[in-house]
Amino acid sequence: MSERTLSIIKPDAVERNVTGAILKMIQDEGLKVVAMKMIHMTKEQAQGFYAVHRERPFFDSLTDFMCSGPVVVSVLEGDGAIARYRKLMGATNPENADEGTIRKQFALDVEKNSVHGSDGVETAAVEISYFFNRLEMVG
Ligand code: GDP
């Protein structure tokens, strides 16, 4: 079934100029980009995005990191896009990420792990609408 998922190329990856290399992996997987933009979040915007993690010990550090520089947010579409993108991203901690995954290739550590992808249908809908309105999405 065709799905949409939210992708973020995080500040560590944008800063190292590997946005294009990551987008190539996404496109080679057959996922279609139906919306995309570069933004630099405020602390409040990062806190809003990661609100589900607000009780976690790393919340402050994570939200500082996510607003430390620009990110590239996009909406990816395809059959089973949510699970397929999670698989392509690899494990949260790059030490545990499989060969061939984005995080294995690019992540620096468990926090600066280069990419975000929605983890379910409901979260994808909430996360997409956090960054994009209907007019900004193709199709
Ligand atoms: P994801 O779905 O694989 O991105 O992982 P989670 O939803 O569990 O965590 C969200 C994000 O928080 C991760 O992508 C990391 O950037 C960060 N994160 C997760 N676990 C840790 C941790 O133990 N320490 C720190 N500093 N950051 C973490």
Side-chain angles (χ1 to χ4, degrees):
M1 199 184 68
S2 186
E3 291 176 338
R4 287 180 169 183
T5 190
L6 183 87
S7 160
I8 306 179
I9 301 177
K10 295 185 179 183
D12 66 287
V14 174
E15 207 252 326
R16 283 175 291 143
N17 233 7
V18 294
T19 301
I22 292 173
L23 285 169
K24 175 161 169 46
M25 291 175 80
I26 289 170
Q27 293 185 314
D28 285 349
E29 163 60 27
L31 294 166
K32 183 177 168 190
V33 178
V34 295
M36 182 161 64
K37 60 188 168 190
M38 181 179 276
I39 60 169
H40 190 157
M41 278 188 273
T42 63
K43 177 81 169 172
E44 290 69 27
Q45 289 166 340
Q47 287 170 328
F49 179 70
Y50 276 121
V52 291
H53 290 312
R54 63 186 171 275
E55 306 301 337
R56 307 276 280 271
F58 55 82
F59 181 68
D60 198 45
S61 172
L62 171 63
T63 51
D64 274 349
F65 162 56
M66 290 300 288
C67 67
S68 67
V71 297
V72 174
V73 283
S74 59
V75 178
L76 309 179
E77 185 179 84
D79 285 341
I82 295 169
R84 278 167 65 201
Y85 186 48
R86 298 281 301 179
K87 186 159 185 266
L88 179 64
M89 290 189 337
T92 308
N93 187 338
E95 288 177 12
N96 304 325
D98 291 337
E99 284 299 333
T101 63
I102 295 170
R103 284 168 167 169
K104 177 72 177 182
Q105 189 164 343
F106 294 111
L108 300 176
D109 57 42
V110 69
E111 180 174 276
K112 294 178 175 56
N113 60 3
S114 301
V115 279
H116 167 86
S118 309
D119 65 3
V121 174
E122 284 85 24
T123 38
V126 170
E127 291 179 358
I128 288 169
S129 65
Y130 194 76
F131 292 109
F132 294 97
N133 64 43
R134 292 283 298 277
L135 286 176
E136 294 172 306
M137 276 181 277
V138 176

